Amino acid sequence: MHIHLKDYRQLLATYLRPQLSRVILLTLLLFGDIALQLINPQLIRLFIDTITSSGPQGVLLPIALLFIVVAVVQQGVKLWATYISECVGWIATNALRIDLTLHLLRLDLSFHKVHTPGELIERVDGDISALSIFFSQFVIQIVGNLLLLFGIILVLFFQDWRAALALGISALLLLIGVNVLRNISIPHWKIFRQSSAELYGFLEERISGTEDIRSSGAQAYMLRRLYRYTRERLRTARKARIISTIPWNVPNFMFALMTLTAFLLIAQFYRNGTMTLGMAFLIYFYTQLLWQPINAISHQIEDFQKASAGIVRIRELLSIESNLKDGPGATFPPGALPLVCENISFGYGEAEMVIKNLSFQLAPGEVLGLLGRTGSGKTTITRLIARLYDPEAGVIRLGGVDLRSASFADLRKAIGMVTQDVQLFHATVRDNLTFFDHTIEDSCIVSALGDLGLNDWYTALPNGLDTILPPNGGGLSAGEAQLLAFARIFLCDPALVILDEASSRLDPATEGLLEQAIDKLLQGRTAIIIAHRLRTLQRADTILLLDDGEICEYGPRAQLANSSDSRFSQLLLTAHEEVLV
Ligand code: ATP
Ligand code: MG
């Protein structure tokens, strides 16, 4: 992917426009700094020439004092400029981080299945950090230092045109050299950023799996893998760094030649008597001063290469579009909603179909029990109904509305899901239950907890609803976590409820509690219950037995349970479970 000048301009315009006044102040400060740098050599020249000539010696002290004042003011201006430039850089990069994060959050699950959270964190943070200087300083520094360069040569021109011409030509050659070499390290920085993202992806995944890694004694293996990632990161960083010093070293070498030219000229003119000592010093000083803008420009070019590699990677991410398009929005009628799945087929990626031409329907308030061997596609069906993926063929209608025409916000309100893997956040109990929705009253939360039989648990909390849950749901049993997930559903009051293996992790006592809660939850709602344990399916009106993505058996539960040749009744027999028929 190539980046054009227009892309840089667009990026700068988008993120600098909101802080225009700060950018203007920064520009003034940086230019002020540059101007002050030009004044001091003049003072030195005046000082030396006053000493060497027989001029009035009384002016020496004021010149020296002025020199000190200018130097101090220049440092002050520099400090202020650094502060403002940090602010500009951080504000712009944070805005970009937020935009990129939002974009990533809107991408569908198929993207998130192939990119680990660690990798994405590094891309949102690391790649964008490389852009900080680009936002805050790049343009101003390049323009400012070019101006300084021209300024020095112009001032020199009025002092001695021969020296100005020689130095001007050398500086021009130098800049051409820098420009020719400007892009050489971008691909290498890009590779480095990628290996950095891979390292963080690896770290995040392995750290979150610490328990399993320790219990299986795989630490040594993981450490070896870690060494491999860090070594790769070192190798790519070293290569990128070495290559990026070329555009910096070449000017360095050329500058040495420039200094040599200046010395030869000065020596020649001074010996001829066509130049004063003060003038000779001035030319020498300006030659040295020339190094500063050239050096700054080369450094900016190096940062620019890193930033460009970041920009390429950010644009790559931004150009990925979600496979799921948000619908225009729909209004669902109040109360339980009917659900229709019509000839739906679906497969993850290129692999074979997981759901094959499946059709079923639920009347409002009907409860469907979904059964099937592990891997038969039960969870996949619930993902399609919650529109985490779109089916490749067929339609799903909720309340008569094609899911694709409803907005995600509509769907999230209409469908409540308890998945096999309950995710709790390192946040207050209240936030965990309301999903950060502050419009929900505390009394509703407490009554939902009461309905689930969690009163004792709630009263034991040290700070009530303000108690912060430990990270990753630590400190809660799997059963408690599952019950909290139920409380979430109570609070969002959806029209369709999906329970995926919701009771499989509970002990018999807790399960008893939950049975009552489920009864309450299902009142006035359409529901799909997935369970390996047949007991959980007692309340299903209809049973759908899935086999390898296809319907194996589908019908009213009572009828299937009573017919002796149905698979369901055989399952009931082998399971030895008491099911109310
Ligand atoms: P279980 O009873 O174990 O929960 P399930 O019936 O819910 O099983 P699914 O999770 O729907 O099964 O998986 C159905 C098939 O799809 C499996 O073969 C699985 O390997 C595959 N699969 C599931 N999720 C993904 C995914 N994100 N990417 C690729 N394949 C997947
Ligand atoms: Mg499943």
Side-chain angles (χ1 to χ4, degrees), residues 194-509:
Q194 179 58 26
S195 62
S196 200
E198 277 167 15
L199 169 68
Y200 283 98
F202 171 82
L203 276 178
E204 177 272 335
E205 196 186 52
R206 305 308 137 118
I207 288 174
S208 54
T210 307
E211 222 170 281
D212 288 341
I213 292 172
R214 281 218 189 139
S215 60
S216 60
Q219 293 106 309
Y221 173 73
M222 290 306 163
L223 273 181
R224 206 169 57 233
R225 294 277 307 274
L226 177 67
Y227 290 144
R228 204 176 297 158
Y229 276 107
T230 45
R231 215 179 303 133
E232 180 61 14
R233 187 160 175 266
L234 171 69
R235 194 187 63 77
T236 52
R238 199 171 40 201
K239 190 163 176 193
R241 189 82 184 87
I242 290 174
I243 292 180
S244 72
T245 58
I246 297 175
W248 184 76
N249 268 319
V250 169
N252 219 340
F253 174 70
M254 288 170 77
F255 182 73
L257 289 182
M258 218 162 118
T259 314
L260 190 67
T261 318
F263 264 126
L264 289 177
L265 280 173
I266 293 168
Q268 183 65 26
F269 296 146
Y270 186 62
R271 249 197 279 157
N272 287 349
T274 49
M275 194 178 269
T276 62
L277 186 60
M279 189 60 160
F281 179 80
L282 186 72
I283 294 178
Y284 167 73
F285 201 99
Y286 276 136
T287 317
Q288 293 309 300
L289 201 61
L290 266 182
W291 176 233
Q292 199 168 317
I294 289 169
N295 190 23
I297 291 172
S298 329
H299 273 298
Q300 288 295 325
I301 296 281
E302 192 189 332
D303 280 331
F304 179 68
Q305 296 177 73
K306 284 190 208 167
S308 299
I311 293 174
V312 172
R313 285 167 55 80
I314 290 163
R315 278 172 48 91
E316 276 170 4
L317 273 189
L318 286 176
S319 66
I320 298 174
E321 282 188 19
S322 178
N323 292 324
L324 297 174
K325 300 272 171 292
D326 203 1
T331 40
F332 292 112
L337 295 175
L339 175 77
V340 178
C341 290
E342 236 174 65
N343 306 104
I344 52 170
S345 297
F346 175 77
Y348 293 98
E350 301 295 307
E352 70 159 323
M353 289 292 165
V354 175
I355 302 295
K356 299 163 191 159
N357 200 19
L358 193 83
S359 299
F360 64 89
Q361 45 189 312
L362 288 174
E366 188 176 338
V367 177
L368 175 77
L370 199 54
L371 283 109
R373 276 206 206 111
T374 186
S376 56
K378 303 182 295 294
T379 301
T380 307
I381 292 181
T382 66
R383 286 182 187 144
L384 294 176
I385 294 171
R387 202 161 177 233
L388 297 176
Y389 295 92
D390 270 339
E392 276 156 45
V395 274
I396 302 177
R397 287 198 192 87
L398 182 67
V401 178
D402 186 337
L403 290 190
R404 279 169 290 205
S405 31
S407 72
F408 286 119
D410 297 332
L411 287 179
R412 302 294 169 251
K413 263 187 254 148
I415 303 174
M417 205 152 117
V418 178
T419 59
Q420 287 172 300
D421 188 17
V422 177
Q423 184 76 49
L424 291 171
F425 302 99
H426 181 36
T428 61
V429 172
R430 180 186 297 104
D431 285 341
N432 265 290
L433 295 180
T434 60
F435 266 118
F436 308 92
D437 176 355
H438 294 289
T439 58
I440 298 177
E441 302 275 330
D442 282 3
S443 56
C444 301
I445 305 176
V446 176
S447 101
L449 290 174
D451 284 345
L452 288 165
L454 284 174
N455 250 335
D456 291 346
W457 178 79
Y458 167 66
T459 43
L461 288 175
N463 295 320
L465 293 179
D466 290 318
T467 311
I468 308 249
L469 291 183
N472 299 321
L476 282 175
S477 77
E480 282 164 343
Q482 201 103 65
L483 282 168
L484 288 185
F486 264 73
R488 282 176 180 166
I489 302 266
F490 267 98
L491 290 172
C492 78
D493 191 24
L496 172 73
V497 181
I498 300 171
L499 309 178
D500 193 350
E501 301 279 3
S503 61
S504 62
R505 299 156 97 186
L506 303 181
D507 61 73

Side-chain angles (χ1 to χ4, degrees), residues 49-64:
D49 278 350
T50 313
I51 295 175
T52 48
S53 71
S54 49
Q57 302 292 305
V59 293
L60 284 181
L61 191 64
I63 295 176

Side-chain angles (χ1 to χ4, degrees), residues 34-49 63 67 70 74 148 152 155 159 278-279 281-289:
I34 289 167
L36 288 172
Q37 286 177 43
L38 283 172
I39 295 177
N40 264 353
Q42 294 288 351
L43 294 174
I44 297 176
R45 178 199 143 201
L46 204 62
F47 194 84
I48 294 178
D49 278 350
I63 295 176
F67 179 86
V70 171
Q74 194 217 328
L148 176 61
I152 293 170
V155 172
Q159 316 277 347
M279 189 60 160
F281 179 80
L282 186 72
I283 294 178
Y284 167 73
F285 201 99
Y286 276 136
T287 317
Q288 293 309 300
L289 201 61

